Structures are given as C-alpha cells and as structure tokens.
Amino acid sequence: MPQINKTRTRDAAPGHGNDLTRLRIALTTFFALDGFIFAGWVVRIPAIKEQTGASPSTLGLALLGVSAGAVITMMFTGRLCSRYGSHPVTVVCAVLLSLSVTLPPLTHSAAALGAVLLLFGAAYGSINVAFNSAAVDLVAALRRPVMPTFHAAFSLGGMIGAGLGGLVAGSLSPTHHLLGLGIIGLLVTALTAPTLLRQQPPRPPEHATAGPEHATAGREDPAPAKAAPHRLTPRTRRLVVVFGLIALCTAYGEGALADWGALHLRQDLGSSAGVAAAGYSCFALAMTVGRLTGTTLLERLGRTRTVVIGGGVAAAGMLLGALAPALWAALLGYSIAGLGLANLFPVAVERAGALAGPSGVATASTLGYGGMLLGPPAIGFMADWFSLPAALTSVAVLAGVAAAIGFATRRATAG
C-alpha cells in the first residue's frame, strides 16, 4: 500500500467500529450517487440527440467521449489516490461528476457534445477508481467480503435514476432534468463528504488472523487482511492483469446486453417493444439481487469458487438467453446470466486493489471498462457475419473464460 496510507491511517480496532460503519455508509452513498447520475444522463440521450441534430453515426462518435474520458483518466486517478489518498479524490471527483452532468444539454452540435462528454467521462471514470480504492481499504479493515454490496448500491442507484428519468422525461427538459441531477449530486456530496474527509483510509491489524467467516470461505481464498505490497513484483502485476481480464469478461457481457439484448428479443423472438425493453431490466434486477447477496455467497464459497461458479452460471444463462426459441426462456436466460455475472467484477476489482492498491484498482477498472467498450461493437460485427443470437453467445464464451481464469489461477491467488 502507498506510503501515505502507512503514515496517515489508523488501525481498524474494535473501538473504531462506529467509524467504519459511518465510512461504509458514506462510500455506499457515493456508489449509489454515481449510478443515479449516470443513469439519469443515459435516459436523456434521445432528447439531446434531437437537440444537437446529430445523425446516429455522429452521435455514436460523440458518445465515445464518455468512454475515452474514463479510460484516459483511470490510471492517472490511481496515482492521485496513491499520493493524496482515495477519500479526498473521491470527494473532488463527485463534485466534478455533479457539475459535468449539467453540460450536455447546453450543447448544440455533435462536436460540442463530444467535448463535454469527454469531461463527464473523465469524472465518471475517476470517481469509479477513487471510491473502489477506498472500498478496498474498508473491505480489508472489516475483514468481510462486502465489496458486492457497494456495487449493488451502484446498480440500485442506476435503477432509481433511470426510473425517475423516465417519469420526468415528459415534463422536464433535459436542461432542467440534468441540472436537477447536478444539484442533487452536490447536496449529497456536501452531506457525505465530511465523513470521508475526517477519516483516513482504515488499515487492518497487521497480525490479525482471518475471522470465522473466512475459515469456511474456501481455504484458497484468504481474507484481504493485509495491505498491498509496497513494491510490485512481476508476479503481482501479472495477477492484477488476470483480475482485470475477469473484469473485462464481465463488463463485455453487461455492455452487450445493454445495447443488443432488447433488439434480440424484438427482432428474433417477435416481442413487443415494452417486453423487449424489460429484457435488460430482468438482467439488471438479477445482477442487483446477486450483488445484494454477494457477501453471504463469498463468505460461504470464497472468492475463487464464486468466480468459477458465477462464470459457469452466467455462461449457461446466456446460452439460454441467446438460443432459446421462446421469449419466456430468453428472459429467464437473461436473469440467470445477471445472477452469474453479478459478483465477478466486484471480486476482480477488490482482489486487484488488495494486491496493488489504487494502481491495481485502476488497472482492473480500465480493463473492465475496455470490455464494456468492446462488447457492443463486437456483437454488431459478429451479428453481420453470422446472426445476432450467434453473436450473443460470445457473452457466454467470455463468462466461461472468466470461470476458467479463476480456476486456473486458484493456487497463485492464494499466496
């Protein structure tokens, strides 16, 4: 772990239990806020497209600004967290995210939209690295695998943001809606930031042993009770990349289903527009439920078994979702895939962070975000070459790859 966390943190002794609880609530709030703001922006994309007069192709290029901004800044944010601490960086990024989400409705061309989305993407990518780094420290101090609960908060925030956005879309202009999101973001940040700024990232007891919950969590998966090494060895770097590849495989599926899942139901299975839209909702809801129960699952199975079983379940679910001839079976497959994928990304990010601190989180997040970028266009090309159902089976293939990676590295990650 970076030197700053050695010199400025305090041990997670029992007397600090209340501090850790407050810190967990604060971080959960920031995860939920991130999902809430991002989903609120997404539901207004159609209206902003009309406002800018962008064609589908130019809109697609403009939307790449979000991804480009995130990928460019993620590694840089990891270094900022190492130098200044993940807590203040999280707060600063939350302010930037809240301010930048108000900018897209003020643009009147695709070029201007792309420029402001570059800023929005930078804030979005940066806060993801910062609060995941803070969460890794807290998970280590609590010595419980609670990382999925933070990502469940992100998912819940996204569902609320999308639902609220749909309700107000007919009565509020994009300018007023996203301005409201920015104000909410600033207010939530102002209320939550003092908890982060008063507390340094917690440090687990250096000589503590794993608690009872980890004795049953799979002996190959020790609790993250020690800080990341000061100097990264080549082996550690390789393991961080391995966890990043698991994140990539997971995020590929999320991006593919978000962009192509509804079209498959409508085009290949003849569903109505409403049912087709519900397809991704089934996937997202199942993923949220999986993450809410993820801590219990990790305590019972351990990290390696969770990755292996989750990847296998996701592969089976996506094969059903892509190839089933009946609509109800496809919806069931989407739900099973969501349950299987739910905890792979949180586990990958947490383990990368436990090994290499903020730089590990940044590496895994960057690879994961790359998978989300890769998924939709890859599905599109394969759909042209073969068919959309065949293309969607690639989600199952990569879920299986994630499971295979988790199994193949089970001994290496135990050390």
Side-chain angles (χ1 to χ4, degrees), residues 7 303 345 409:
T7 58
R303 289 166 178 79
F345 191 94
T409 59

Side-chain angles (χ1 to χ4, degrees), residues 298-368:
L298 286 165
E299 288 176 341
R300 291 179 181 275
L301 300 178
R303 289 166 178 79
T304 294
R305 292 192 183 99
T306 297
V307 170
V308 173
I309 294 173
V313 168
M318 202 55 229
L319 286 175
L320 178 63
L323 303 178
L327 179 62
W328 67 267
L331 291 173
L332 176 62
Y334 283 11
S335 299
I336 294 172
L339 285 173
L341 292 176
N343 295 303
L344 270 63
F345 191 94
V347 168
V349 170
E350 182 265 318
R351 293 308 296 150
L355 284 167
S359 66
V361 173
T363 299
S365 298
T366 301
L367 285 170

